[in-house]
Amino acid sequence: MKKNILLSLLFLPLACFGELFLEITKGSDDPFKVAIIPFAGAAKISNPLHEVIRNDLNRTGEFSLLDTKLLLPLRLEDGDINYQDWSLLGMDYLVAGTILNGQSSVDVNYDIYDIQKRKKIRSSKVFGLPSQIRQLAHYTSDGIYESISGIKGIASTKLLYVNQIKSAKLNSNYRLMLADSDGANEKTLLSSSEPIISPAWSPDGQKVAYVSFETGLAKVYIQDIASGKRESVLSNDTQISSPSWSPDGKYLSLTLYQDGNAEIYILRLHDKTLTRMTNQFAIDTESSWSPKGNKILFTSGRSGSPQIYELNLRKLNSKAKRISFEGTYNAKAAYLPNEEGIIFVHRSSDGLFHIAMKYKKENFIRILTEAKMDESPSVAPNGNMVIYGITEGDQSMLAGFSLSGASFKLPASQGEVREPAWSNFLR
Amino acid sequence: MNKSTNTFFSLTMLILLSACSSVQVTEESVSNQAVAGVSISQKSSATQAVLANAVVYFEYDQYTLTSKSIQALKGVVGLMKKNPKITLSLEGHADERGTREYNLALGQRRAESVANYLIANGIKRNQLVSKSYGEERPLSLGSNDSAWSKNRRVEIK
């Protein structure tokens, strides 16, 4: 299994459907070959569970799943696992399980077998409410992904994004949405007649921060997902935007327009202490914390065009260091989870906007997408998938790709969808 | 097996079996996070009677005033001097190209450019409120030069 096959990454525009549309344009050259026997149990649970697990694993681009029609019996007549025939089918791993459904709970038990080594490598149980079949499937596919790839799975993580419904009267309705990592199970966190932008997760996945124009002035709010309780982070009459949560959850970096100009500040949440981080005539905004919490990235116009800068927070009076040099527009950068590089929005010489990545150890950027107005990249917490906003015709929607080359789209059930934000691990 | 179905926490147990080959054994409940939706219906701040109503336009990526803009602003200066008690809202906007937050900042710079011109011509800072909507409120929908040029603007009202 080869990892980090970024060079082979290929993104192709795909047709649009009413729900998550998955097409593997190019997966890994050497995928894990896995057979999943539909879990024994009631078909009304087993069928949707099987489908969600397959979609989750296919979306990673790292798996080649055996066609369900080609499945063999799990065991030989004497009760032993039929390793030999599974091996002849070219399988590396085998997954089988059972579903126990009671009135108020569903148990999913599954086992993973290593065909070559002829042994069971995992035996797991996940349980939940009968209404949580998709969640049970996501937890199961994460377990399969982890045992086989050695990397934590992200099927059970969540997405935030902004949905805008343009009515005939041109009276827009803006909604902040929460959904599963595959776009299902969509829920509205906030709806407003005024714009909502820049959603950001708290590291524990319990809260969101965002910018709302509900008072006529951009302001940052924090909202508790479970209770809906929300507050404006600063009660002054300054325009505030671009929230980013520190990895320990104690601080928000923000853009304040105190003197009319965009400057970056760090707000300590428990006592609302503000610390100014930039002091520049030019625009400074779009701050984003490093995974270790010791640095921030931000966009600054100080060189005459938007470029990406890095500021060390641990050194007193440290100077921001410019880290993007290719082209005249590089913005909205975020660190990769392992801090080996950054992902950002790059304007190419033809004037189009693409998602690009730059690794620390390389002195060139990799352009990862090829639509014309790609924006707002967000990386999954395991670093293996990216979701971002695209515009097709005059319709904006979400698209994503795995670093091994699978790409997918997430069109809106209605209206425009944009500004996706991937949660941290939630399990 | 005795368990609560109302488990809101995730439990993971890892038991390494002492046989020659180890099997990872886990048990966990899926989280059941409640979600409360909030709806805001209030409209943005009430508008005062419109005394001035002008729009000035900007070049792509730019926030400096053009000579045409300055002509329009001269009229605003005259009006402000005749009505020294009114406050003006300067609302900056950007076209859809580029990132949303950078465009919010760019719209603000455009509003500030207008504010600075008015202040240089004798208007008091406290008569002016500048703010930005970035690319969120285009005047003209569509992704072409004509729509974009209408959207890079400061609305004075």
Side-chain angles (χ1 to χ4, degrees):
Chain A
M1 177 67 202
K2 299 177 200 93
K3 290 269 150 45
N4 299 325
I5 322 170
L6 254 180
L7 281 171
S8 71
L9 189 79
L10 182 72
F11 177 81
L12 294 172
L14 304 169
C16 163
F17 290 81
E19 54 187 22
L20 174 71
F21 179 67
L22 171 70
E23 180 173 306
I24 299 176
T25 50
K26 188 175 190 323
S28 161
D29 293 337
D30 187 12
F32 300 113
K33 295 191 176 65
V34 181
I36 304 173
I37 300 175
F39 295 1
K44 69 172 172 56
I45 297 175
S46 180
N47 291 346
L49 192 89
H50 189 68
E51 192 192 329
V52 174
I53 293 170
R54 286 185 76 95
N55 282 340
D56 284 345
L57 294 175
N58 278 330
R59 200 162 57 251
T60 68
E62 297 164 48
F63 285 72
S64 168
L65 301 178
L66 183 68
D67 190 323
T68 312
K69 288 189 285 251
L70 302 177
L71 289 172
L72 303 168
L74 170 65
R75 291 173 192 279
L76 297 167
E77 278 166 24
D78 62 8
D80 288 342
I81 302 293
N82 185 5
Y83 286 115
Q84 181 148 8
D85 287 347
W86 289 113
S87 180
L88 286 173
L89 278 179
M91 293 297 108
D92 301 320
Y93 297 93
L94 171 66
V95 183
T98 52
I99 299 158
L100 278 174
N101 56 314
Q103 285 284 37
S104 55
S105 75
V106 175
D107 291 2
V108 175
N109 293 287
Y110 65 94
D111 298 319
I112 306 175
Y113 303 90
D114 185 321
I115 303 294
Q116 258 85 60
K117 292 186 182 149
R118 294 179 163 252
K119 64 169 194 175
K120 188 194 276 189
I121 57 166
R122 185 180 178 122
S123 183
S124 287
K125 170 173 149 176
V126 290
F127 56 97
L129 302 172
S131 58
Q132 295 182 293
I133 303 304
R134 295 193 76 94
Q135 282 282 86
L136 288 164
H138 293 320
Y139 274 53
T140 304
S141 45
D142 279 349
I144 297 168
Y145 183 77
E146 279 157 30
S147 282
I148 293 175
S149 75
I151 296 163
K152 211 164 172 196
I154 46 95
S156 58
T157 59
K158 305 257 184 189
L159 297 171
L160 287 175
Y161 47 86
V162 175
N163 176 215
Q164 182 184 2
I165 298 156
K166 291 173 181 161
S167 82
K169 287 182 237 156
L170 264 181
N171 217 347
S172 297
N173 190 28
Y174 299 86
R175 298 192 297 165
L176 176 62
M177 307 301 293
L178 172 72
D180 292 351
S181 67
D182 59 0
N185 204 12
E186 199 181 42
K187 300 219 165 72
T188 304
L189 295 182
L190 178 74
S191 63
S192 174
S193 54
E194 301 300 311
I196 301 166
I197 63 168
S198 306
W201 283 98
S202 70
D204 64 2
Q206 303 291 310
K207 290 180 180 146
V208 295
Y210 52 82
V211 176
S212 165
F213 289 76
E214 67 202 60
T215 63
L217 194 64
K219 285 277 187 189
V220 171
Y221 297 79
I222 289 178
Q223 182 171 328
D224 183 76
I225 292 173
S227 68
K229 198 170 156 262
R230 59 196 291 272
E231 60 160 352
S232 170
V233 294
L234 283 173
S235 52
N236 56 21
D237 55 8
T238 303
Q239 180 169 292
I240 310 169
S241 68
S242 201
S244 170
W245 236 294
S246 65
D248 64 5
K250 292 177 181 163
Y251 301 87
L252 270 187
S253 61
L254 301 163
T255 300
L256 261 69
Y257 292 77
Q258 212 116 256
D259 328 308
N261 184 35
E263 300 287 357
I264 291 161
Y265 288 73
I266 290 179
L267 176 71
R268 188 161 67 189
L269 289 167
H270 82 89
D271 62 0
K272 301 280 164 97
T273 312
L274 270 177
T275 308
R276 185 169 179 158
M277 304 312 294
T278 58
N279 197 344
Q280 258 283 333
F281 175 74
I283 291 166
D284 293 315
T285 188
E286 296 178 337
S287 57
S288 172
W289 294 76
S290 67
K292 292 192 190 105
N294 58 336
K295 290 178 286 183
I296 53 170
L297 290 173
F298 64 97
T299 309
S300 177
R302 62 188 65 179
S303 71
S305 69
Q307 296 293 346
I308 298 157
Y309 291 74
E310 185 177 61
L311 185 65
N312 190 328
L313 303 176
R314 295 285 147 81
K315 270 198 265 167
L316 213 60
N317 302 319
S318 82
K319 272 196 72 171
K321 191 175 88 190
R322 179 171 168 181
I323 59 168
S324 67
F325 297 95
E326 274 180 65
T328 55
Y329 200 113
N330 294 295
K332 199 168 171 64
Y335 290 95
L336 300 179
N338 56 13
E339 276 187 51
E340 281 173 11
I342 60 168
I343 189 161
F344 54 98
V345 175
H346 170 76
R347 185 174 66 196
S348 3
S349 51
D350 56 9
L352 304 182
F353 291 84
H354 302 301
I355 308 305
M357 228 180 235
K358 184 182 174 300
Y359 286 103
K360 250 188 230 167
K361 56 181 184 228
E362 294 175 347
N363 59 2
F364 57 91
I365 66 169
R366 295 167 181 266
I367 293 175
L368 305 177
T369 64
E370 48 186 41
K372 55 182 184 181
M373 234 184 279
D374 306 328
E375 61 171 31
S376 299
S378 179
V379 185
N382 69 0
N384 278 4
M385 269 200 223
V386 178
I387 192 162
Y388 62 105
I390 58 167
T391 302
E392 272 186 3
D394 54 3
Q395 181 77 17
S396 65
M397 66 182 87
L398 306 185
F401 55 84
S402 75
L403 295 195
S404 55
S407 70
F408 58 92
K409 272 190 189 176
L410 228 162
S413 48
Q414 51 177 343
E416 313 264 305
V417 203
R418 56 183 179 242
E419 294 198 274
W422 216 311
S423 79
N424 217 329
F425 292 114
L426 300 174
R427 58 177 270 274
Chain B
M1 183 82 44
N2 186 15
K3 66 177 189 314
S4 160
T5 51
N6 289 330
T7 341
F8 281 79
F9 56 91
S10 261
L11 174 73
T12 306
M13 289 191 312
L14 198 91
I15 303 161
L16 295 176
L17 300 183
S18 54
C20 55
S21 64
S22 64
V23 180
Q24 188 187 15
V25 179
T26 68
E27 179 172 332
E28 60 186 320
S29 75
V30 299
S31 77
N32 188 12
Q33 189 185 33
V35 177
V38 180
S39 181
I40 309 164
S41 51
Q42 78 247 42
K43 270 302 224 183
S44 51
S45 53
T47 48
Q48 60 177 5
V50 177
L51 288 175
N53 204 348
V55 183
V56 295
Y57 298 95
F58 295 80
E59 297 298 315
Y60 184 34
D61 278 348
Q62 301 300 312
Y63 50 82
T64 48
L65 297 174
T66 62
S67 52
K68 208 174 157 193
S69 303
I70 288 167
Q71 287 307 312
L73 290 177
K74 279 181 178 160
V76 176
V77 170
L79 193 90
M80 293 291 284
K81 285 190 171 157
K82 275 183 227 146
N83 300 277
K85 290 214 171 103
I86 64 165
T87 53
L88 278 190
S89 159
L90 312 173
E91 199 181 278
H93 298 266
D95 72 35
E96 64 179 347
R97 291 171 294 173
T99 64
R100 287 177 184 272
E101 283 287 353
Y102 200 82
N103 281 336
L104 185 69
L106 187 58
Q108 182 68 25
R109 290 307 293 257
R110 287 173 178 159
E112 286 297 312
S113 292
V114 172
N116 290 338
Y117 176 86
L118 297 177
I119 290 163
N121 284 277
I123 309 303
K124 291 200 189 72
R125 176 88 231 185
N126 61 14
Q127 282 181 272
L128 304 171
V129 178
S130 66
K131 61 177 181 177
S132 176
Y133 273 100
E135 64 176 277
E136 309 308 322
R137 286 213 169 150
L139 262 189
S140 177
L141 299 175
S143 296
N144 51 61
D145 285 330
S146 155
W148 290 329
S149 65
K150 291 186 185 82
N151 293 336
R152 295 187 300 264
R153 69 199 192 275
V154 170
E155 294 183 12
I156 302 157
K157 44 193 180 185

